[in-house]
Amino acid sequence: MAGEGSMMHANTSLKNNRRNRKSRLENFVNTTSNGYTELIDPNKATPEVLAEIREKLQVENKIILRKKIIITTAVLVLIIITLTVLNQFL
């Protein structure tokens, strides 16, 4: 019969594609990692490592909060200054 060779090639191609498929966990890790942090398994992490990570995150969050407060106050001060200057000329 005609076309048997092409069908056999299609079946072989499908089998190879199935064999090369990655697991869902690998796909999730590859798409969610940002390249800077390493994946730490919480089941294997020691309490010391978890405490270190917690402290590091707290310090980073404090720095971010300080920057937000400084930017917000600077913007508010600029708005107040511009409003007072505009009120003096009107």
Side-chain angles (χ1 to χ4, degrees):
M1 292 178 80
E4 290 178 9
S6 61
M7 288 306 297
M8 188 170 51
H9 177 68
N11 287 335
T12 305
S13 176
L14 288 173
K15 285 180 185 178
N16 288 336
N17 287 341
R18 243 182 268 129
R19 194 175 307 134
N20 292 333
R21 223 185 284 163
K22 292 181 182 178
S23 71
R24 288 181 183 223
L25 178 64
E26 289 176 2
N27 285 339
F28 178 75
V29 169
N30 290 338
T31 57
T32 56
S33 66
N34 59 6
Y36 297 112
T37 58
E38 59 187 57
L39 179 66
I40 297 176
D41 188 14
N43 296 332
K44 295 181 181 177
T46 63
E48 294 84 18
V49 173
L50 292 176
E52 180 182 322
I53 293 170
R54 186 179 303 114
E55 289 177 17
K56 180 181 172 185
L57 287 175
Q58 287 176 351
V59 168
E60 289 176 0
N61 288 337
K62 284 181 183 180
I63 292 171
I64 291 171
L65 182 64
R66 285 181 191 156
K67 286 181 182 179
K68 286 181 182 179
I69 291 172
I70 290 171
I71 290 173
T72 304
T73 55
V75 168
L76 288 176
V77 167
L78 285 174
I79 289 173
I80 291 172
I81 290 173
T82 54
L83 287 177
T84 56
V85 169
L86 287 176
N87 279 337
Q88 289 179 355
F89 290 116
L90 295 176

